[in-house]
Amino acid sequence: MYFPKLPLTSALLAGWAIQTCSGYVPQERSDDNSQCTKTTVAIMGGGMAGITAAQALSNNSIHDFVILEYQDVIGGRAHHTKFGKDKNGDPYTVELGANWIQGLGSPGGPENPVWTLAKKYNLKNFYSNYSSILTYNETGFTDYSDVLDEYDTHSDLATQQAGVLLKDNLQDQTARSGYALAGWRPRKDDMKAQAVEWWNWDWEDAYTPETSSFVFGTAGENLTFNQFSDENNFVIDPRGYSAIIDGEANTFLKKDDPRLRLNTQITDIKYSKDGVTIHNADGSCVDAAYAICTFSLGVLQNHAVQFEPELPLWKRTAIEKFNMGTYTKIFLQFDETFWPNETEYFLYADPTTRGYYPVWQSLSKDTFLPESNIIFVTVVTDQSYRIENQSDEETKKEVMAVIRKMFPEKDIPEPTAFMYPRWTKVPWAYGSYSNWPAGTTLEMHENLRANADRLWFAGEATSAEYFGFLHGAYFEGRIAGEEIAALLKDDCVVIQGTKTCGHRPHYEKLKGTTPLRNYNFFNGWPVSSFYDASE
Ligand SMILES: Cc1cc2nc3c(=O)[nH]c(=O)nc-3n(C[C@H](O)[C@H](O)[C@H](O)COP(=O)(O)OP(=O)(O)OC[C@H]3O[C@@H](n4cnc5c(N)ncnc54)[C@H](O)[C@@H]3O)c2cc1C
Ligand SMILES: *[C@@H]1O[C@H](CO)[C@@H](O)[C@H](O)[C@H]1NC(C)=O
Ligand SMILES: *[C@@H]1O[C@H](CO)[C@@H](O)[C@H](O)[C@H]1NC(C)=O
Ligand SMILES: *[C@@H]1O[C@H](CO)[C@@H](O)[C@H](O)[C@H]1NC(C)=O
Ligand SMILES: *[C@@H]1O[C@H](CO)[C@@H](O)[C@H](O)[C@H]1NC(C)=O
Ligand SMILES: *[C@@H]1O[C@H](CO)[C@@H](O)[C@H](O)[C@H]1NC(C)=O
Ligand SMILES: *[C@@H]1O[C@H](CO)[C@@H](O)[C@H](O)[C@H]1NC(C)=O
């Protein structure tokens, strides 16, 4: 502690003239925002990161905050809808966004916080068996499970080799070259091997091995599936996956709490060393001492929100550098389950196009939605963009042609229901989740994560450890909330051994030599080595 604590609330009410650790004393600001709602912390977005940030503030006795959310619900990309009909004519609930709890936890080891929440709210979820898979090509069932095993062998070696690069802070490469060095070299015309690779890499990263970082892609997978556990549970709850986010929100928000503003589209963010003023499409505005922007990388890349002043070059470079992938689930309901009803996954190798309707998933299985006769197929990124520009009818025709090839012995009728989201066009997401591009250093990621004056950034994409995942959003929301709470209490966080209050490190010039983060645990949650947990 550098400076004596000021009485918090009175200091905040007095135009936030609180003394920060750096000795900087913000002045009372000119009154052009007099009609704006005043608050201490504005949280932009009510997804996992936003709600967790608000809860972290609440837990630290900061109750003066406002959450601004575009949609009429919270939950963000944990997003479900109704689909098809059950025997009584009632629709099923299916997840358009996040669907698995990935890496649960092991006895005595760290636990994925999303798993903790799933247990707390009795979220209906079941073991997803990645070994329950049958393989197909354009001639029907054809067993290439040996290729699946072969991939796994090379993958284990690749993970070891990526670990060395990570540990010694060496030059990154593409996942393509990293895997080739580990002995996995699928020929371009070996469509079975291409399908197996897609199932293992693209299906998770939403990008090809050519575009993905070898080191951080592998480390991310390791931190989720080795650190927590290698289990994936599939969420199939009639309340939707977002029930855990609703549940946590209800721990600190009252019914109709005025601090949660739904249906509020932010259009402009004015930030400075003194605070942040936010303007919304409905003409309302919020004037805050600090703000946390939890918008997806897609929203930032699409310039859907204007920043004033323009974000600094180091920040804009990072925003443009990382990749926003799209992951599209295409749902079909039939009047019977004509596929093997105990199997979870069906992998299809198209004879000409890699990634053409490759992974099929049955919901009709015993533990999921038994007898629902629902199956869905997933495509990502380039194939997603292609089908997002097609009508449902055009896509349905392609999808049906594939499934008829997979089961040539069956007489397959048209589906009774058909639906898919177009994530790239969703104005509050512009894509599904981020991916770490090849040859991109931790410095660049620190720049994505760093604050610009009093404007903080948090969300799935700002997690170096768990980018892409719901738990990444959880940790990042929590850390941002904790940091701002500490600042407001005039506490300092220790960054790289120095008390640098109020700023996350950023690099004006990228040299690519950031010291490696250690994935330390502090109170059960990972913190980077920038934060000295012992202080
Ligand atoms: C198809 C798909 C599949 C996925 N599968 C999994 C999975 O199986 N497991 C897993 O762990 N993760 C999965 N994810 C990723 C997971 O959903 C995200 O990592 C997580 O939900 C991100 O949370 P967040 O708070 O960072 O961002 P978001 O959930 O995007 O929250 C940001 C919020 O900001 C709001 N917002 C945006 N623009 C504005 C604006 N202008 N004004 C006001 N509000 C705005 C949005 O409406 C949103 O609620 C998947 C995602 C998708 C899309
Ligand atoms: C807030 O505190 C509650 C109760 O201790 C805890 O369950 C929750 O995980 C905390 N949340 C955050 C984001 O710190
Ligand atoms: C997963 O599926 C495989 C293949 O069908 C099966 O052998 C295995 O027992 C299943 N595992 C579990 C836990 O159900
Ligand atoms: C992944 O985890 C294994 C086992 O803990 C470790 O040996 C390897 O170095 C790790 N690799 C990466 C890239 O993190
Ligand atoms: C599809 O599988 C069949 C049976 O294994 C095989 O004869 C055929 O060559 C495969 N097609 C391609 C494009 O590999
Ligand atoms: C699968 O099909 C068999 C045989 O028709 C049937 O006995 C079983 O109940 C079905 N299982 C599910 C989960 O639908
Ligand atoms: C596909 O793109 C074209 C050209 O941009 C556009 O005119 C058309 O409406 C799009 N179709 C769909 C279904 O989105």
Side-chain angles (χ1 to χ4, degrees), residues 4 11 42 157 164 188 192 231 258 342 369 389 403 432 436 447 505 529:
L157 182 60
V164 174
K188 295 283 181 226
K192 292 172 179 171
E231 283 161 291
E342 312 289 352
L369 300 172
N389 190 245
I403 199 163
S432 297
W436 197 306
N447 283 357
S529 57

Side-chain angles (χ1 to χ4, degrees), residues 33 35-38 261 277-280 282-287:
N33 304 318
Q35 72 285 29
C36 299
T37 305
K38 308 266 178 214
R261 298 203 192 161
T277 304
I278 296 158
H279 287 270
N280 307 315
D282 63 6
S284 64
C285 55
V286 173
D287 202 15

Side-chain angles (χ1 to χ4, degrees), residues 191 194-195 198 348 350 353-358 378-380 383:
M191 300 318 279
Q194 293 294 336
W198 196 98
Y348 169 70
D350 187 78
T353 308
R354 186 181 181 279
Y356 191 80
Y357 304 113
T378 298
V379 296
V380 301
Q383 287 294 327

